[in-house]
Amino acid sequence: MKKILIGLLATASITSASIVHAQSLTVSPAKTLETQGLSVIVDQNEFSPIFFDEKNAGIQIVLHGNRIATDGAVRLSPTPEQWSPVPLFVSRTLGAEPNQIVVRSAFKEQNLAYTVKVTAEGQGFRIAVDLDQPLPQAMAGKAGFNLDFLPTAYFGKTYLMDSGPGLFPRHPVGPMAKDGSGDPLPLASGGKSLTLSPEDPTTRVTITSDGAPLALYDARARAQNGWFVVRSLIQPGAKENAVVWHVRPNVIKDWVRPPVVAFNQAGYTPGRNKVALIELDPNFAAPADAELVKLASDGSRQSVLRAKLEPRGKWMRYRYAAFDFSSVRTPGIYAIAFAGQTTNPFRIADDAYGHIWQTSLDTFLAEQMDHVGVREQYRVWQSPSHLDDARQAPANHVHFDGYKMGPNLDSPFKAGEHIPGLNVGGWQDAGDYDIQTPDNAWVVRDLVWGREMFGLDWDETSIDERARAVEIRKPDGVQDSLQQIRHGTLQLLAQYKTFGHAIVGIVDPELRQYAHLGDAGSQTDRMIYDSKLGPLDSNGQYSGVPDDRWAFTTDLPANDLYVAGALAGASRALRDLDPAMAAEALATAKAMWAKQQTVQTDSGTGRETAFAPRSPNVANVMATVELILTTKGNPRYTKRLQQLLPTIRERFDWAGGAAVRAIPYMDADYRAQLAPLVRQAKTKVDAGLASNPFGVPVSEGSWAGSNQVATFGTTMYLLHKAFPEIVGPEYTLNALDYILGRHPATNLSLVSTVGTESKLIGYGHNRADYSFIPGGMVPGVIIIKPDFPEQKTDWPFLWFENEYTVSTTSAYILAANAAIDLTREQTRAKR
């Protein structure tokens, strides 16, 4: 303890020059509190109605460009987990006092309504909680005001509770309650003042409480995605000013955020456009130009180009400028020098994109494969997983991960009954371990398109379906893309053979099981549940443990049509490798498609989603196109596609890419009808892109948008190939640049291990190790409303920024190959 105090005193003397206070906070037009270096975001981002606590709600603090605190709200536990009760946002208004924001919220089931007043004062702000009524008796000892602090901002740093020193642990060490509740006890409690990281002026925050004492918890002791929590319990009988805090974030005087020079981390081919974007703090005095330097073998740097920056306007809270070095075509290793800093190196080379997609195919998709074991040399990614699939989910059930089962099971099985035949093929969707049927279908479709348009010739992985064995870095003479198509097709066919239709998906039944981290093969006991056996009994094939995943079996038109399209495509790809499976896939696709031709309305997919609208009308276009391609223009399908032109016109942004693929098998009038739709789409796209400097649509929703960018890149490629006189190649190349580093907030490639610097802490099966899965693409940059672009580089547990998904990564494989083809097209054109 004495050493800690000495260290604090020494650090204080070193950093005393940085101990300065902010100018007073003022209310912005967006109803945040702002001063240079500090933003207080007050309930602009709400708790999710599906995923509850996403660590992006309540009062949030952005200090020195880093969102260090979130979820400032009344909570019913000191360390709430993701699906713990969250307050319902009611309203946000300006208060009666100057620079005051007032938020109304409520826990309706608990009959607890309250107001939080956030008021600028001195060099910080005041938080006051007023209850409409004193706490209900059932809430006494439970309800309190919490504010969560980002663990990675405080690892290895200290805190002072009053004058008592402590250390923020790198790994949770307790203490835990001994009553069996699983509740963490506080790291420190009973004080009226808490200072976080007194030694670090960039993250130092002091909180003082007028009434209820403060407590500091490590919520990671309950769940790995927890944060450090500062809390004051609401006292029985309290009403007005039930909790009053004075929050003093230290703000370094005249602090400005360093520029972010964003560029393609994989580099550039010599003949293509090369434009870096520089993200600038509005208070940064930016130089007028930037410099491209070439690195020599002895480490020296040669200036190659110095050019004026081109202003690209303001987007969100930052200004942007472009540095165009397209004129440099000589192969070599380069870096960009700007404002006294030099970026990491990148290449200009003919083969700059020679290895930007293969790892996504041979490693990431392999690691996500379900019902098999996956090994990579010495490393075992997983043992054979979910061999006990699956049990029938019950009727009228809403699952915590968004799955829904209505009153009809659409299944020959009773609730809880084992469903044989589903423990084959498919991919685990994301950082969790479920099979989402539409996403599995999209992966198959993406890989089929990739084979047909670009070859995807690559064999680095052996896959033995009968042995349920996969080994990475062990070629087996069969193209990896074909083996992955076959693996996905196995699951899609199994669903149809079992139910006569596609299902919503297969997912863990219990929340604790769903939160499993690590080897997918250990998530269940891989033995079929038998209710006749005791919980500790098994006979090697059956056990008394009800851990088998549930199948959500609702028959929905959109799912049937997405799967029909995927199977039709798979039948083309597998024709030589597995003729019997190809024939079965085509017959199944035709049957599923025929069943759905009376569908007229959207009905969803049985799972809440943040992604694209899953419409049976759009899915019908896609499935019909796939059958046209497979049957080489069978009139039954070409006639139907003509009838679907109204849907194509109405939903061209989603159906256009598939629609143009059918042109070779349609009459001239079909192409003529598409041409004005392409022109309208280009006009709409250009108008939308004018609002940001990146040349791609940037998501402002609750899930970051790399998937949409990849899909945009592929769609614009298809439109360019079909209508080169209307659509140019720049859209697809901009999409590649965005994914591989030219985006807001950071300049990291969003595809782990692709490019010089990439996202190396992701939300995958191994996220508890703060690690990554090679080749997986993360969602990327999210906008913390109203205007803060964020991509955490060191904290894996924000799924909306960091969660790998299989359909996102297959979309990247397709978009990357589209961009590669366009660079070759440009090279040919310039010869």
Side-chain angles (χ1 to χ4, degrees), residues 651-714:
R651 307 295 293 275
F652 193 77
D653 50 348
W654 294 108
V660 299
R661 289 210 73 201
I663 288 174
Y665 297 101
M666 304 296 289
D667 59 25
D669 180 65
Y670 177 81
R671 187 183 192 279
Q673 291 196 60
L674 292 186
L677 301 180
V678 175
R679 291 191 180 89
Q680 292 168 16
K682 182 181 184 301
T683 300
K684 180 180 177 181
V685 164
D686 289 343
L689 298 185
S691 65
N692 77 66
F694 300 100
V696 298
V698 179
S699 170
E700 297 181 25
S702 60
W703 190 279
S706 66
N707 192 328
Q708 292 92 321
V709 172
T711 301
F712 168 79
T714 297

Coordinates of all heavy atoms in Angstrom, one line a residue, residues 651-714:
R651 N -37.9 -2.6 -55.3 CA -36.8 -3.0 -54.4 C -35.5 -3.2 -55.1 O -34.8 -4.1 -54.8 CB -37.2 -4.3 -53.6 CG -38.6 -4.2 -52.9 CD -38.7 -3.2 -51.8 NE -37.8 -3.5 -50.7 CZ -38.2 -4.4 -49.7 NH1 -39.4 -4.9 -49.7 NH2 -37.4 -4.6 -48.7
F652 N -35.2 -2.3 -56.1 CA -34.1 -2.5 -56.9 C -32.8 -2.4 -56.1 O -31.8 -3.1 -56.4 CB -34.0 -1.4 -58.0 CG -33.0 -1.8 -59.1 CD1 -33.3 -2.7 -60.0 CD2 -31.8 -1.1 -59.1 CE1 -32.4 -3.0 -61.0 CE2 -30.9 -1.4 -60.1 CZ -31.1 -2.4 -61.1
D653 N -32.8 -1.7 -55.0 CA -31.6 -1.6 -54.2 C -31.2 -3.0 -53.6 O -30.0 -3.3 -53.4 CB -31.7 -0.6 -53.1 CG -33.0 -0.7 -52.3 OD1 -33.9 -1.5 -52.7 OD2 -33.1 -0.1 -51.2
W654 N -32.2 -3.8 -53.4 CA -31.9 -5.2 -52.9 C -31.9 -6.2 -53.9 O -31.2 -7.2 -53.8 CB -32.9 -5.5 -51.8 CG -32.8 -4.7 -50.5 CD1 -33.6 -3.7 -50.1 CD2 -31.7 -4.7 -49.6 NE1 -33.2 -3.1 -49.0 CE2 -32.0 -3.7 -48.7 CE3 -30.5 -5.4 -49.5 CZ2 -31.1 -3.4 -47.6 CZ3 -29.7 -5.2 -48.4 CH2 -30.0 -4.2 -47.5
A655 N -32.8 -6.1 -55.0 CA -32.9 -7.1 -56.0 C -32.1 -6.9 -57.2 O -32.0 -7.8 -58.1 CB -34.4 -7.2 -56.3
G656 N -31.6 -5.7 -57.4 CA -30.9 -5.3 -58.7 C -29.8 -6.1 -59.0 O -29.6 -6.5 -60.2
G657 N -28.9 -6.5 -58.1 CA -27.7 -7.3 -58.4 C -28.1 -8.6 -58.9 O -27.5 -9.1 -59.9
A658 N -29.1 -9.3 -58.3 CA -29.5 -10.6 -58.8 C -30.2 -10.4 -60.2 O -30.0 -11.2 -61.1 CB -30.5 -11.3 -57.8
A659 N -31.0 -9.4 -60.3 CA -31.8 -9.2 -61.5 C -30.9 -9.1 -62.8 O -31.2 -9.7 -63.8 CB -32.7 -8.0 -61.4
V660 N -29.8 -8.4 -62.7 CA -28.9 -8.2 -63.9 C -28.2 -9.5 -64.2 O -27.8 -9.7 -65.4 CB -28.0 -7.1 -63.7 CG1 -28.7 -5.7 -63.5 CG2 -27.0 -7.3 -62.6
R661 N -28.0 -10.4 -63.3 CA -27.4 -11.7 -63.6 C -28.2 -12.5 -64.6 O -27.7 -13.4 -65.3 CB -27.1 -12.5 -62.3 CG -26.0 -11.9 -61.4 CD -25.3 -13.1 -60.7 NE -24.4 -13.8 -61.5 CZ -24.0 -15.1 -61.3 NH1 -24.4 -15.7 -60.2 NH2 -23.2 -15.7 -62.1
A662 N -29.5 -12.3 -64.6 CA -30.4 -13.1 -65.5 C -30.4 -12.5 -66.9 O -31.0 -13.2 -67.8 CB -31.8 -13.1 -64.9
I663 N -29.8 -11.4 -67.2 CA -29.9 -10.8 -68.5 C -29.5 -11.7 -69.7 O -30.2 -11.7 -70.7 CB -29.0 -9.5 -68.5 CG1 -29.7 -8.4 -67.7 CG2 -28.8 -9.0 -70.0 CD1 -28.9 -7.1 -67.6
P664 N -28.5 -12.5 -69.6 CA -28.1 -13.4 -70.7 C -29.2 -14.4 -71.1 O -29.2 -14.8 -72.2 CB -26.9 -14.1 -70.2 CG -26.3 -13.2 -69.2 CD -27.4 -12.6 -68.5
Y665 N -30.1 -14.7 -70.2 CA -31.2 -15.6 -70.5 C -32.6 -15.0 -70.7 O -33.6 -15.7 -71.0 CB -31.3 -16.6 -69.4 CG -30.1 -17.4 -69.2 CD1 -29.1 -17.1 -68.2 CD2 -29.8 -18.5 -70.1 CE1 -28.0 -17.9 -68.0 CE2 -28.6 -19.3 -69.9 CZ -27.7 -18.9 -68.9 OH -26.6 -19.7 -68.7
M666 N -32.6 -13.7 -70.7 CA -33.9 -12.9 -70.9 C -33.9 -12.2 -72.3 O -32.8 -12.1 -72.9 CB -34.1 -11.9 -69.8 CG -34.0 -12.5 -68.4 SD -35.3 -13.7 -68.0 CE -36.7 -12.5 -67.9
D667 N -35.0 -11.8 -72.7 CA -35.1 -11.1 -74.0 C -34.6 -9.7 -73.9 O -34.3 -9.2 -72.8 CB -36.5 -11.1 -74.5 CG -37.6 -10.5 -73.6 OD1 -37.2 -9.6 -72.8 OD2 -38.8 -10.8 -73.7
A668 N -34.5 -9.0 -75.0 CA -33.9 -7.7 -75.0 C -34.8 -6.7 -74.3 O -34.3 -5.7 -73.7 CB -33.8 -7.2 -76.5
D669 N -36.1 -6.9 -74.2 CA -37.0 -6.0 -73.5 C -36.7 -6.0 -72.0 O -36.8 -4.9 -71.4 CB -38.4 -6.4 -73.8 CG -39.4 -5.5 -73.1 OD1 -39.4 -4.3 -73.4 OD2 -40.1 -5.9 -72.1
Y670 N -36.3 -7.1 -71.5 CA -36.0 -7.2 -70.1 C -34.8 -6.3 -69.7 O -34.9 -5.5 -68.8 CB -35.6 -8.6 -69.7 CG -35.2 -8.8 -68.2 CD1 -36.1 -8.9 -67.2 CD2 -33.8 -9.0 -67.9 CE1 -35.7 -9.2 -65.9 CE2 -33.4 -9.2 -66.6 CZ -34.4 -9.3 -65.6 OH -34.0 -9.5 -64.3
R671 N -33.8 -6.3 -70.5 CA -32.6 -5.5 -70.3 C -33.0 -4.0 -70.4 O -32.6 -3.1 -69.7 CB -31.5 -5.8 -71.2 CG -30.2 -5.0 -70.9 CD -29.1 -5.3 -71.9 NE -27.8 -4.8 -71.4 CZ -27.4 -3.5 -71.5 NH1 -28.2 -2.6 -72.1 NH2 -26.2 -3.2 -71.1
A672 N -33.8 -3.7 -71.4 CA -34.3 -2.4 -71.7 C -35.1 -1.8 -70.5 O -35.0 -0.6 -70.2 CB -35.1 -2.3 -72.9
Q673 N -35.8 -2.7 -69.8 CA -36.6 -2.3 -68.6 C -35.7 -2.0 -67.4 O -36.0 -1.2 -66.5 CB -37.7 -3.3 -68.3 CG -38.8 -3.3 -69.4 CD -40.0 -4.0 -68.8 OE1 -40.6 -3.6 -67.9 NE2 -40.4 -5.1 -69.5
L674 N -34.6 -2.8 -67.4 CA -33.7 -2.6 -66.3 C -32.8 -1.3 -66.4 O -32.4 -0.7 -65.4 CB -32.7 -3.8 -66.1 CG -33.3 -5.1 -65.7 CD1 -32.2 -6.2 -65.5 CD2 -34.2 -5.0 -64.4
A675 N -32.5 -0.9 -67.6 CA -31.6 0.2 -67.8 C -32.1 1.5 -67.1 O -31.2 2.1 -66.3 CB -31.5 0.5 -69.3
P676 N -33.3 1.9 -67.1 CA -33.7 3.1 -66.4 C -33.6 2.9 -64.9 O -33.4 3.8 -64.1 CB -35.1 3.4 -66.8 CG -35.6 2.1 -67.4 CD -34.4 1.5 -68.0
L677 N -33.8 1.6 -64.4 CA -33.7 1.4 -63.0 C -32.3 1.5 -62.5 O -32.0 2.0 -61.4 CB -34.2 -0.1 -62.7 CG -35.7 -0.4 -63.1 CD1 -36.0 -1.8 -62.7 CD2 -36.6 0.6 -62.4
V678 N -31.3 1.1 -63.4 CA -29.9 1.3 -63.0 C -29.6 2.8 -63.0 O -28.9 3.2 -62.1 CB -29.0 0.5 -64.1 CG1 -27.6 0.8 -63.8 CG2 -29.3 -1.0 -64.0
R679 N -30.1 3.5 -63.9 CA -29.8 5.0 -63.9 C -30.4 5.6 -62.6 O -29.7 6.4 -62.0 CB -30.4 5.7 -65.1 CG -29.7 5.3 -66.4 CD -30.1 6.2 -67.6 NE -29.4 5.8 -68.8 CZ -29.8 4.9 -69.7 NH1 -31.0 4.3 -69.5 NH2 -29.1 4.7 -70.8
Q680 N -31.6 5.2 -62.3 CA -32.3 5.8 -61.1 C -31.5 5.4 -59.8 O -31.3 6.2 -58.9 CB -33.7 5.3 -61.0 CG -34.6 5.8 -62.1 CD -36.0 5.1 -62.1 OE1 -36.3 4.4 -61.2 NE2 -36.7 5.2 -63.2
A681 N -31.0 4.1 -59.8 CA -30.3 3.6 -58.7 C -29.0 4.4 -58.5 O -28.6 4.8 -57.4 CB -30.0 2.1 -58.8
K682 N -28.3 4.7 -59.7 CA -27.0 5.4 -59.6 C -27.3 6.8 -59.1 O -26.5 7.3 -58.3 CB -26.4 5.5 -61.0 CG -25.0 6.2 -61.0 CD -24.4 6.3 -62.4 CE -23.0 7.0 -62.3 NZ -23.1 8.3 -61.8
T683 N -28.3 7.5 -59.6 CA -28.7 8.8 -59.1 C -28.9 8.8 -57.6 O -28.5 9.7 -56.9 CB -29.9 9.3 -59.8 OG1 -29.6 9.4 -61.2 CG2 -30.3 10.7 -59.4
K684 N -29.7 7.8 -57.1 CA -30.0 7.7 -55.7 C -28.7 7.4 -54.9 O -28.5 8.0 -53.8 CB -31.0 6.6 -55.5 CG -31.4 6.3 -54.0 CD -32.4 5.2 -53.9 CE -32.8 4.9 -52.5 NZ -33.7 3.8 -52.4
V685 N -27.9 6.5 -55.4 CA -26.6 6.2 -54.7 C -25.8 7.5 -54.6 O -25.2 7.8 -53.5 CB -25.9 5.1 -55.4 CG1 -24.4 5.0 -55.0 CG2 -26.6 3.8 -55.1
D686 N -25.6 8.2 -55.7 CA -24.7 9.4 -55.7 C -25.2 10.4 -54.8 O -24.5 11.1 -54.1 CB -24.6 9.9 -57.1 CG -23.8 9.0 -58.1 OD1 -23.1 8.2 -57.6 OD2 -23.9 9.2 -59.3
A687 N -26.6 10.6 -54.7 CA -27.1 11.6 -53.8 C -26.8 11.2 -52.4 O -26.5 12.0 -51.5 CB -28.6 11.7 -54.0
G688 N -27.0 9.9 -52.1 CA -26.7 9.4 -50.7 C -25.2 9.6 -50.3 O -24.9 9.9 -49.2
L689 N -24.3 9.3 -51.3 CA -22.9 9.3 -51.0 C -22.4 10.7 -50.8 O -21.3 10.9 -50.3 CB -22.1 8.6 -52.1 CG -22.4 7.1 -52.3 CD1 -21.5 6.5 -53.4 CD2 -22.3 6.4 -51.0
A690 N -23.1 11.7 -51.3 CA -22.7 13.1 -51.2 C -22.7 13.5 -49.7 O -22.1 14.6 -49.4 CB -23.6 14.0 -52.0
S691 N -23.4 12.8 -48.9 CA -23.5 13.2 -47.4 C -22.3 12.7 -46.6 O -22.1 13.1 -45.4 CB -24.7 12.6 -46.8 OG -24.6 11.1 -46.8
N692 N -21.4 11.9 -47.2 CA -20.2 11.5 -46.4 C -19.0 11.5 -47.4 O -19.1 11.4 -48.6 CB -20.4 10.2 -45.7 CG -20.3 9.0 -46.7 OD1 -19.2 8.7 -47.2 ND2 -21.4 8.3 -46.9
P693 N -17.7 11.5 -46.8 CA -16.6 11.5 -47.7 C -16.0 10.2 -48.2 O -15.0 10.2 -48.8 CB -15.5 12.2 -46.8 CG -15.9 11.8 -45.4 CD -17.4 11.7 -45.4
F694 N -16.7 9.1 -47.8 CA -16.0 7.8 -48.0 C -16.4 7.1 -49.3 O -15.8 6.0 -49.6 CB -16.4 6.9 -46.8 CG -16.0 7.4 -45.5 CD1 -16.9 8.1 -44.7 CD2 -14.7 7.3 -45.1 CE1 -16.5 8.7 -43.5 CE2 -14.2 7.9 -43.9 CZ -15.1 8.6 -43.1
G695 N -17.4 7.6 -50.0 CA -17.7 7.0 -51.3 C -18.5 5.7 -51.2 O -18.7 5.0 -52.2
V696 N -19.0 5.4 -50.0 CA -19.9 4.2 -49.7 C -21.0 4.6 -48.7 O -20.8 5.6 -48.0 CB -19.1 3.0 -49.2 CG1 -18.0 2.6 -50.2 CG2 -18.5 3.4 -47.8
P697 N -22.1 3.9 -48.7 CA -23.1 4.2 -47.6 C -22.5 3.8 -46.3 O -22.1 2.6 -46.1 CB -24.3 3.3 -48.1 CG -23.7 2.3 -48.9 CD -22.5 2.8 -49.6
V698 N -22.6 4.7 -45.3 CA -22.1 4.4 -44.0 C -23.3 4.3 -43.0 O -24.1 5.2 -42.9 CB -21.2 5.5 -43.5 CG1 -20.7 5.2 -42.0 CG2 -20.0 5.7 -44.4
S699 N -23.5 3.1 -42.4 CA -24.6 2.8 -41.5 C -24.6 3.8 -40.3 O -23.6 4.0 -39.7 CB -24.6 1.4 -41.0 OG -25.5 1.2 -40.0
E700 N -25.8 4.3 -40.0 CA -26.0 5.1 -38.8 C -26.9 4.4 -37.9 O -27.5 5.0 -36.9 CB -26.5 6.5 -39.1 CG -25.5 7.3 -40.0 CD -26.0 8.7 -40.3 OE1 -26.8 9.2 -39.6 OE2 -25.5 9.2 -41.4
G701 N -27.1 3.1 -38.1 CA -28.1 2.3 -37.2 C -27.4 1.7 -36.0 O -26.3 2.1 -35.6
S702 N -28.0 0.7 -35.4 CA -27.6 0.1 -34.2 C -26.5 -0.9 -34.4 O -26.0 -1.5 -33.4 CB -28.7 -0.4 -33.4 OG -29.4 -1.4 -34.1
W703 N -26.2 -1.3 -35.6 CA -25.2 -2.3 -35.9 C -24.3 -1.7 -37.0 O -24.8 -1.1 -38.0 CB -25.8 -3.6 -36.4 CG -24.9 -4.7 -36.5 CD1 -24.0 -5.0 -37.6 CD2 -24.7 -5.8 -35.6 NE1 -23.3 -6.1 -37.3 CE2 -23.7 -6.7 -36.1 CE3 -25.3 -6.1 -34.4 CZ2 -23.3 -7.8 -35.5 CZ3 -24.9 -7.3 -33.8 CH2 -23.9 -8.1 -34.3
A704 N -23.0 -1.7 -36.8 CA -22.1 -1.1 -37.8 C -22.2 -1.8 -39.2 O -22.7 -2.9 -39.3 CB -20.6 -1.2 -37.3
G705 N -21.8 -1.1 -40.2 CA -22.3 -1.5 -41.6 C -21.3 -2.1 -42.5 O -21.5 -1.9 -43.7
S706 N -20.3 -2.8 -42.1 CA -19.4 -3.4 -43.1 C -20.1 -4.4 -44.1 O -19.7 -4.5 -45.2 CB -18.2 -4.1 -42.4 OG -18.6 -5.2 -41.7
N707 N -21.1 -5.1 -43.6 CA -21.8 -6.0 -44.4 C -22.5 -5.2 -45.5 O -22.4 -5.6 -46.7 CB -22.9 -6.7 -43.6 CG -23.5 -7.9 -44.3 OD1 -23.7 -7.9 -45.5 ND2 -23.9 -8.9 -43.6
Q708 N -23.1 -4.1 -45.2 CA -23.8 -3.3 -46.2 C -22.8 -2.8 -47.2 O -23.1 -2.7 -48.4 CB -24.6 -2.2 -45.6 CG -25.8 -2.6 -44.8 CD -25.5 -2.9 -43.3 OE1 -24.4 -3.4 -42.9 NE2 -26.4 -2.5 -42.4
V709 N -21.6 -2.4 -46.7 CA -20.6 -1.9 -47.7 C -20.1 -2.9 -48.6 O -20.0 -2.7 -49.8 CB -19.4 -1.3 -46.9 CG1 -18.3 -0.9 -47.8 CG2 -19.9 -0.1 -46.1
A710 N -19.9 -4.2 -48.1 CA -19.5 -5.3 -49.0 C -20.6 -5.6 -50.0 O -20.3 -5.8 -51.2 CB -19.2 -6.5 -48.1
T711 N -21.8 -5.6 -49.5 CA -22.9 -5.9 -50.5 C -23.1 -4.8 -51.5 O -23.3 -5.1 -52.7 CB -24.2 -6.1 -49.7 OG1 -24.1 -7.2 -48.7 CG2 -25.4 -6.4 -50.6
F712 N -22.9 -3.6 -51.1 CA -22.9 -2.5 -52.0 C -21.8 -2.6 -53.0 O -22.1 -2.4 -54.2 CB -22.7 -1.2 -51.2 CG -22.4 0.1 -52.0 CD1 -23.5 0.7 -52.7 CD2 -21.1 0.6 -52.1 CE1 -23.2 1.9 -53.4 CE2 -20.9 1.7 -52.8 CZ -21.9 2.3 -53.5
G713 N -20.6 -3.0 -52.6 CA -19.5 -3.2 -53.6 C -19.8 -4.2 -54.6 O -19.6 -4.0 -55.8
T714 N -20.4 -5.3 -54.2 CA -20.8 -6.4 -55.2 C -21.9 -6.0 -56.1 O -21.9 -6.2 -57.3 CB -21.1 -7.7 -54.4 OG1 -20.0 -8.1 -53.7 CG2 -21.5 -8.8 -55.4

